[in-house]
Amino acid sequence: MKYVCLIICFLQVISCTNHQTESELIVANEQNGIKVRISHSAGNYIDGAVPLACPFNIGHSVESQPKDSLFVILGNSITKDKTLPVRPIAKLQMMDDNLLKEYVVATVPSDTLLNFEGLVTEYAYVRNIVETYLNNYKGLGKTKVMDWSAYKK
């Protein structure tokens, strides 16, 4: 009985890990995503920003809709200048140097665990990390979060 319980616990731990390589991310289900080019990789500094590495990837849409949108891509660090499909889950509106900016918060299409509801409940700490970084990356008081909403096409 001890061995059965140990095996079940081991299988639970193995099934909960969801680490994907960069190549797996790039080929992930392209029909369900918006193609985005990565401009800043997670773990790297943003030029002119506070001396704290960005905890998420940032990219720009390469498709006609939503044109010129900024994307916050949650998950593993993705190499700068890679193009890959993402699955939008939320919109974040901010004032940035007195200009309204809109970020689309997204994951890779194969990550089906995270959605907007989860981002504001079970994974609210992820939303808080995104919000805190974007509220402070240019220095105190230069940016301000205005609104979060579910992503709608």
Side-chain angles (χ1 to χ4, degrees):
M1 188 67 170
K2 287 192 303 191
Y3 294 109
V4 171
C5 187
L6 184 62
I7 290 171
I8 290 172
C9 289
F10 178 73
L11 291 175
Q12 282 290 95
V13 170
I14 295 299
S15 68
C16 287
T17 58
N18 186 16
H19 300 288
Q20 295 176 307
T21 65
E22 185 179 323
S23 59
E24 288 173 323
L25 291 173
I26 292 170
V27 298
N29 196 358
E30 291 191 26
Q31 290 95 347
N32 294 331
I34 295 172
K35 288 190 180 176
V36 171
R37 178 173 300 280
I38 303 300
S39 56
H40 293 90
S41 299
N44 291 314
Y45 296 97
I46 296 176
D47 294 336
V50 295
L52 181 63
C54 187
F56 43 79
N57 302 286
I58 298 176
H60 301 274
S61 175
V62 296
E63 296 180 356
S64 59
Q65 291 295 326
K67 189 70 173 163
D68 299 326
S69 289
L70 290 169
F71 282 76
V72 168
I73 301 108
L74 306 175
N76 295 331
S77 181
I78 303 166
T79 305
K80 183 178 176 179
D81 294 327
K82 291 283 183 181
T83 300
L84 73 156
V86 297
R87 183 176 60 84
I89 58 173
K91 281 189 178 181
L92 168 60
Q93 290 184 333
M94 297 191 66
M95 289 302 289
D96 189 340
D97 290 332
N98 293 319
L99 296 172
L100 186 63
K101 267 191 184 176
E102 185 172 273
Y103 289 91
V104 176
V105 179
T107 64
V108 294
S110 60
D111 179 0
T112 57
L113 295 176
L114 190 57
N115 56 29
F116 181 71
E117 183 180 319
L119 192 62
V120 296
T121 57
E122 183 178 359
Y123 300 106
Y125 62 91
V126 173
R127 186 195 69 209
N128 290 340
I129 290 169
V130 170
E131 193 170 301
T132 300
Y133 187 84
L134 291 175
N135 259 340
N136 294 286
Y137 82 106
K138 287 188 173 181
L140 190 60
K142 294 189 177 182
T143 59
K144 180 182 177 187
V145 169
M146 302 302 288
D147 186 41
W148 281 90
S149 61
Y151 181 82
K152 295 179 177 89
K153 288 184 179 183

